[in-house]
Amino acid sequence: MTAVVELMDYADVIERFDPVLGLEVHVELNTNTKMFCGCANEFGGEPNTKVCPTCLGLPGSLPVVNGKAVEGAIRIGLALNCEIAQWCRFARKNYFYPDMPKNFQTSQYDEPIAFNGYLDVTLDDGEVVRVEIERAHMEEDTGKSLHVGGATGRIHGAEHSLLDYNRAGVPLIEIVTKPIEHTGGRAPEVARAYVSALRDLLRALDVSDVRMDQGSLRCDANVSLMAKDATEFGTRTETKNVNSLRSVERAVRYEMTRQAAILAEGGSIKQETRHFQEADGTTSSGRTKETAEDYRYFPEPDLVPIAPSREWVEELRKTLPEMPSERRKRIQREWNLTDEALRDLLNVGAVDLVAATVEAGATPDEARSWWVNTLAQEANSREIELAELAITPAQLAEVIALVNAGELTNKLAKEVVQGVLAGEGSPSEVVEKRGLKVVSDDSALIAAVDEALAAQPDVAEKIRGGKVAAAGAIVGAVMKATKGQADAKRVRELIVERVGA
């Protein structure tokens, strides 16, 4: 039987404690090859087919640093307002785990390539919080374990485990914040907003596909609580590999309520890693958390230090794109958006989607209406991010163009969008397959109008007597008869003509 976990009411948590956060985000780079060998850096594939002696750690194999990964690390550091090290080196982080083929991870310890930065984060109500960055360092990813049998998919209770080393050696950048204090009840929101802002920045840099669902962007959320009169941080827990923005917020909130209940009863928090349970938003105990000393770091003897010249760093600085925050300010100005309208776009993650739809030919107002209203509701009902919907900005722009050309009504356009989301093809293909094009042939419309007028002679008489508003009933009948495919404006015109009003 699962033990019942005591939780404290969130309002009471905030009244009695101050939360302190520390967020570690792992980013897989989109280089063509792995960090220290020439194996393909691609997601998925048949297990253990994208491996070689180097990424498997076989005797006699030697690593070579991926230059594009170093370049990506520097660009990330610059975008995060970090200092770039003039000299840094790799280290061996020693620990045993089956998905770590070398029994150590090549990482950076006390000499990261980027350090002392910050990222300004905008919350839902427009408040800006500065999150300070401790470091951004280079390392390699591990392989993946698949635990077969059991109820949870984890090693506990599994019948056996399978190992896939395709991911071992993929270039990673780990971005570590300094302790995030003084956020009070907004701590979970700050955590979500930070990861969201970081994802937007990395996407703009084009250094990663930042697919949280595929693990190319993962967040470890460290949470501790301090009593209101305390001067030292409390003991922290680290919830590992949280893989969605919503889950980051839920994991932080849950840990705050769980830890507070333990502390209120006079208990102590165990420093450990924990696993987030997507199904119910809880966390469960993993393993006791190691300290840096437990990893027995020492300099990697097979790799030379990295000393990026100042000239190269400045050349890379010139390649940085317009940062998301600056782009939003420009978009707000160009689209003449109120602060509230911009926040609506930000809150549903629609800024880039709307911009891409505008670039594909739609107007800002048209694109905004679809993404913020219709499609945001669709994403919410499916419990996924807006960008995960199976419709592209270009496809939405095509739907909008069909409406503007009079080939679709708004109602039919929504049917077309549903077809695209269902995987039935492009908007034009959905229109063809479902027979959704607007009926624009006057002869067909006149026949439908005459039939509706004959069925409702009293309404026809009212229209003839000058009560043109009564035409709505006839319009509705025609739309029903044509399955919503008539041009309502043209139908109304024909009704007035036919009754001689």
Side-chain angles (χ1 to χ4, degrees):
M1 179 179 289
T2 304
V4 176
V5 178
E6 295 294 330
L7 303 176
M8 182 181 287
D9 181 78
Y10 193 71
D12 293 337
V13 176
I14 303 309
E15 186 177 340
R16 298 180 60 171
F17 299 97
D18 287 323
V20 179
L21 306 180
L23 302 171
E24 303 170 15
V25 174
H26 296 79
V27 185
E28 287 184 353
L29 299 184
N30 57 7
T31 53
N32 291 328
T33 57
K34 292 184 179 181
M35 188 71 203
F36 301 113
C37 68
C39 291
N41 175 18
E42 298 171 342
F43 177 78
E46 287 296 312
N48 300 309
T49 56
K50 300 169 185 175
V51 294
C52 71
T54 299
C55 57
L56 289 177
L58 299 183
S61 60
L62 290 173
V64 177
V65 174
N66 185 327
K68 290 297 289 184
V70 176
E71 178 181 305
I74 293 173
R75 294 178 75 238
I76 290 172
L78 292 171
L80 291 171
N81 305 291
C82 289
E83 300 176 47
I84 305 301
Q86 298 194 39
W87 188 95
C88 64
R89 57 184 172 179
F90 287 98
R92 290 188 179 183
K93 181 181 181 181
N94 296 274
Y95 63 96
F96 170 77
Y97 200 73
D99 61 11
M100 200 67 240
K102 299 181 294 189
N103 289 341
F104 67 84
Q105 180 185 31
T106 305
S107 181
Q108 292 188 301
Y109 174 43
D110 54 346
E111 299 164 307
I113 193 165
F115 54 93
N116 285 344
Y118 65 87
L119 180 63
D120 287 332
V121 175
T122 303
L123 304 186
D124 290 348
D125 64 355
E127 180 183 348
V128 176
V129 175
R130 174 160 293 186
V131 176
E132 296 189 334
I133 307 297
E134 177 73 36
R135 56 194 278 141
H137 66 259
M138 298 178 287
E139 59 186 24
E140 59 181 337
D141 212 342
T142 61
K144 293 179 68 175
S145 298
L146 176 65
H147 305 298
V148 181
T152 64
R154 301 194 183 278
I155 193 168
H156 180 70
E159 297 173 359
H160 62 276
S161 297
L162 301 174
L163 296 171
D164 178 6
Y165 291 119
N166 280 347
R167 195 178 69 182
V170 166
L172 272 187
I173 304 298
E174 182 175 352
I175 302 166
V176 182
T177 70
K178 294 181 180 180
I180 304 171
E181 304 177 67
H182 313 304
T183 56
R186 307 196 75 174
E189 181 187 350
V190 169
R192 172 179 55 80
Y194 166 74
V195 178
S196 176
L198 186 57
R199 184 181 66 172
D200 289 347
L201 183 146
L202 295 166
R203 186 183 288 119
L205 291 171
D206 193 26
V207 293
S208 172
D209 65 11
V210 292
R211 288 283 300 273
M212 297 188 80
D213 59 316
Q214 294 184 357
S216 54
L217 182 70
R218 312 189 292 271
C219 178
D220 296 343
N222 293 268
V223 179
S224 66
L225 296 178
M226 299 171 60
K228 289 292 186 179
D229 57 351
T231 57
E232 296 183 0
F233 293 160
T235 301
R236 65 186 172 91
T237 63
E238 180 181 13
T239 303
K240 300 286 288 184
N241 296 328
V242 187
N243 62 3
S244 77
L245 299 179
R246 179 170 176 262
S247 295
V248 169
E249 184 169 9
R250 293 171 75 201
V252 170
R253 187 182 182 97
Y254 179 84
E255 269 302 286
M256 288 170 63
T257 57
R258 186 190 70 86
Q259 292 184 23
I262 294 172
L263 294 172
E265 290 296 320
S268 58
I269 304 302
K270 181 165 61 173
Q271 183 169 318
E272 62 180 353
T273 62
R274 296 184 67 84
H275 302 296
F276 182 70
Q277 311 298 329
E278 292 281 354
D280 58 7
T282 65
T283 67
S284 60
S285 181
R287 57 180 168 81
T288 302
K289 178 64 178 173
E290 295 88 349
T291 62
E293 289 74 17
D294 294 321
Y295 291 121
R296 296 177 293 112
Y297 282 100
F298 64 84
E300 168 57 70
D302 292 334
L303 291 170
V304 297
I306 294 173
S309 70
R310 297 302 91 180
E311 291 77 16
W312 185 37
V313 171
E314 291 309 310
E315 286 176 10
L316 291 177
R317 192 189 301 276
K318 294 175 184 176
T319 70
L320 297 182
E322 182 181 29
M323 291 295 102
S325 58
E326 294 304 315
R327 181 167 177 252
R328 286 166 188 157
K329 291 177 184 176
R330 174 178 60 78
I331 283 174
Q332 182 177 15
R333 185 173 61 252
E334 291 178 355
W335 295 354
N336 196 28
L337 298 178
T338 64
D339 290 343
E340 183 178 5
L342 181 63
R343 281 201 299 273
D344 287 343
L345 285 177
L346 294 173
N347 291 346
V348 298
V351 173
D352 290 340
L353 294 167
V354 172
T357 308
V358 171
E359 289 172 8
T363 68
D365 286 344
E366 291 168 338
R368 218 161 37 89
S369 177
W370 275 96
W371 286 112
V372 174
N373 299 317
T374 306
L375 291 169
Q377 291 174 14
E378 192 70 36
N380 286 338
S381 68
R382 299 179 185 215
E383 295 187 346
I384 60 174
E385 300 294 330
L386 191 59
E388 295 175 38
L389 286 174
I391 185 169
T392 66
Q395 288 173 327
L396 180 59
E398 183 182 345
V399 173
I400 293 170
L402 290 171
V403 173
N404 291 338
E407 296 182 32
L408 289 177
T409 63
N410 286 327
K411 182 180 178 180
L412 292 175
K414 290 180 180 179
E415 284 194 54
V416 173
V417 166
Q418 288 299 322
V420 174
L421 292 173
E424 297 175 18
S426 68
S428 57
E429 289 171 335
V430 173
V431 169
E432 186 66 28
K433 289 176 184 177
R434 293 195 179 191
L436 295 176
K437 189 170 288 188
V438 166
V439 176
S440 54
D441 178 15
D442 270 7
S443 61
L445 291 178
I446 288 171
V449 167
D450 286 347
E451 185 176 341
L453 288 170
Q456 301 185 64
D458 54 332
V459 176
E461 194 58 40
K462 287 180 182 178
I463 299 170
R464 195 173 288 109
K467 294 182 179 180
V468 180
I474 305 300
V475 172
V478 172
M479 296 302 287
K480 183 177 181 180
T482 59
K483 298 180 181 179
Q485 292 177 239
D487 180 342
K489 181 180 178 182
R490 181 55 181 155
V491 169
R492 187 176 291 273
E493 291 172 353
L494 289 173
I495 291 169
V496 174
E497 289 177 11
R498 303 300 284 177
V499 298

